[in-house]
Amino acid sequence: MSEQQPQASAAGQWVSYRPEIKVLDCTIRDGGLMNDHRFSDETVRGVYDACVQAGVDYMEIGYINSREQFPPGQFGPWKHSQEHDIRRIVGDNDSPLKLSAMADAEKSDYREDILPCSESVLDMIRVATYIHQIPLALDMIKDAHDKGYETSLNLMALSTVPERELNEALHLVARSEVEVICIVDSFGALYGEQIDDYMDKFSSYALAAGKEVGMHAHNNRQLAFANTIQATIRGANRLDASMAGLGRGAGNCPMELLLSFLHNPKFRLRPVLQCVQHHIEPMREQLKWGFDYPYLITGVLNQHPRSGIAFNESRHRGDIIRFYDSLEHEE
């Protein structure tokens, strides 16, 4: 009699796939932090077409942030994602792809600028928040929910949040209208073992409340893809990625890597590679995103990458010891 083999958990299966996993492309929204959201219509349409053809579930087309705080003349249209700009790219979005926009807590005039869902081509609003902004973020979630949108809350700078505050925040979020609670490694500081711990904690609050857990990873330690895989294995069903990893500083989990890892046959790699070749890689010399030593250093020190971005734009670029010493002295 052959020995019965142990069954893999639903989250940890390797050969099959979980159809409930949804992938969100954040190329234009997160990548826009490198160029003030000044993408050409051709580029935005190229990303949109690639998402549709590749079977990606959501495309985050930009922010809906305050036009008073971020004057339109100083930023491209994807800082504000007004309806006429979105429709100029996607029309009525006659495709299975859902569209998302992000609103930052304390940076969005959300009551006025986020239209009722019935008047918009958007399907989901994602609210990005720091721990101290949770009460406002939950009001933003309720506003979006009441307007008819799917909702997600992205808890930023998670690696800096004390455990007691995180527990209290997750207790409040789990009781809210939000549908997805997203782990955000803003500084690219986390390792796989820490992802395990965060997945256990987030899941303990989210799953009992009927909510999904998501993962948004940054690549300061070249772990964005690995950490996204680890979150997936531990049960995350909402995964963020971007074409060629385009995103602020060290960038994000690359879409081409993520889709090549997931086994769902609905995902197609070729349209993503085509988009990367024709629209994303030509911007690399100008935008200079991706792993670099200053971003490694900010990740190691668990700091925001803004200092690394500023250093890379300074006359001292290349003197990584100077940069490391300046930040270590601040510690």
Side-chain angles (χ1 to χ4, degrees):
M1 182 181 296
S2 62
E3 183 178 349
Q4 185 175 359
Q5 296 298 312
Q7 296 296 310
S9 70
Q13 289 178 356
W14 175 252
V15 175
S16 61
Y17 66 92
R18 299 205 311 273
E20 59 269 30
I21 289 176
K22 308 294 182 187
V23 173
L24 180 143
D25 176 88
C26 57
T27 305
I28 301 301
R29 195 276 304 168
D30 204 328
L33 294 170
M34 298 299 286
N35 68 351
D36 293 330
H37 291 93
R38 298 181 185 276
F39 293 106
S40 69
D41 284 5
E42 180 185 11
T43 295
V44 181
R45 190 172 293 112
V47 173
Y48 169 77
D49 288 342
C51 287
V52 172
Q53 295 165 19
V56 171
D57 300 283
Y58 292 84
M59 174 185 172
E60 192 162 63
I61 202 162
Y63 285 99
I64 303 182
N65 277 346
S66 169
R67 280 168 282 168
E68 182 176 347
Q69 293 185 51
F70 303 97
Q74 299 176 25
F75 296 87
W78 310 110
K79 195 72 169 180
H80 310 106
S81 300
Q82 292 183 273
E83 194 69 21
H84 64 272
D85 288 318
I86 301 173
R87 289 184 183 273
R88 187 177 69 248
I89 303 299
V90 308
D92 292 331
N93 185 30
D94 184 20
S95 80
L97 176 71
K98 292 186 176 182
L99 298 175
S100 169
M102 178 172 280
D104 276 322
E106 298 185 3
K107 296 179 181 178
S108 172
D109 302 320
Y110 59 99
R111 295 191 185 280
E112 296 80 23
D113 289 345
I114 296 178
L115 301 176
C117 187
S118 60
E119 300 175 17
S120 175
V121 73
L122 293 172
D123 300 283
M124 179 167 68
I125 299 296
R126 299 213 298 176
V127 174
T129 181
Y130 291 107
I131 191 72
H132 67 279
Q133 300 166 323
I134 285 290
L136 171 59
L138 294 183
D139 189 67
M140 296 172 70
I141 289 290
K142 185 178 189 311
D143 178 78
H145 171 82
D146 290 349
K147 289 174 177 174
Y149 292 98
E150 298 177 34
T151 55
S152 173
L153 186 139
N154 287 29
L155 185 52
M156 299 187 292
L158 194 59
S159 57
T160 67
V161 178
E163 184 173 11
R164 179 176 177 178
E165 294 181 22
L166 178 58
N167 288 339
E168 183 177 349
L170 290 175
H171 175 72
L172 293 172
V173 172
R175 297 169 59 190
S176 75
E177 297 85 354
V178 78
E179 295 159 272
V180 181
I181 310 172
C182 194
I183 296 169
V184 182
D185 183 12
S186 298
F187 303 159
L190 298 177
Y191 287 109
E193 293 85 353
Q194 294 168 296
I195 297 298
D196 286 347
D197 291 341
Y198 281 118
M199 279 301 304
D200 288 345
K201 183 179 291 293
F202 273 62
S203 297
S204 69
Y205 286 94
L207 300 185
K211 304 179 189 305
E212 298 277 17
V213 178
M215 183 70 206
H216 180 95
H218 283 201
N219 206 36
N220 298 64
R221 292 183 168 188
Q222 299 207 69
L223 290 172
F225 176 46
N227 285 344
T228 301
I229 288 176
Q230 192 62 26
T232 305
I233 291 170
R234 296 302 293 262
N237 284 332
R238 300 298 186 103
L239 310 177
D240 287 12
S242 64
M243 307 287 174
L246 176 58
R248 182 187 61 198
N252 303 319
C253 174
M255 180 66 74
E256 57 274 19
L257 286 176
L258 181 59
L259 294 192
S260 67
F261 165 76
L262 297 172
H263 292 172
N264 191 329
K266 79 169 186 173
F267 294 129
R268 298 180 63 239
L269 182 60
R270 191 179 190 281
V272 173
L273 296 177
Q274 187 173 29
C275 177
V276 167
Q277 176 177 327
H278 293 296
H279 299 288
I280 309 302
E281 282 299 332
M283 296 187 288
R284 187 175 291 277
E285 181 60 30
Q286 175 191 0
L287 301 187
K288 294 182 171 65
W289 77 93
F291 175 80
D292 201 353
Y293 293 105
Y295 304 137
L296 163 67
I297 293 166
T298 59
V300 168
L301 298 178
N302 197 21
Q303 295 186 14
H304 194 287
R306 63 172 65 91
S307 58
I309 295 172
F311 179 79
N312 276 344
E313 295 174 349
S314 75
R315 63 188 176 88
H316 299 297
R317 172 175 170 78
D319 191 348
I320 57 177
I321 294 299
R322 178 191 185 103
F323 180 67
Y324 179 77
D325 289 344
S326 70
L327 291 192
E328 191 181 44
H329 179 71
E330 292 178 7
E331 291 284 294

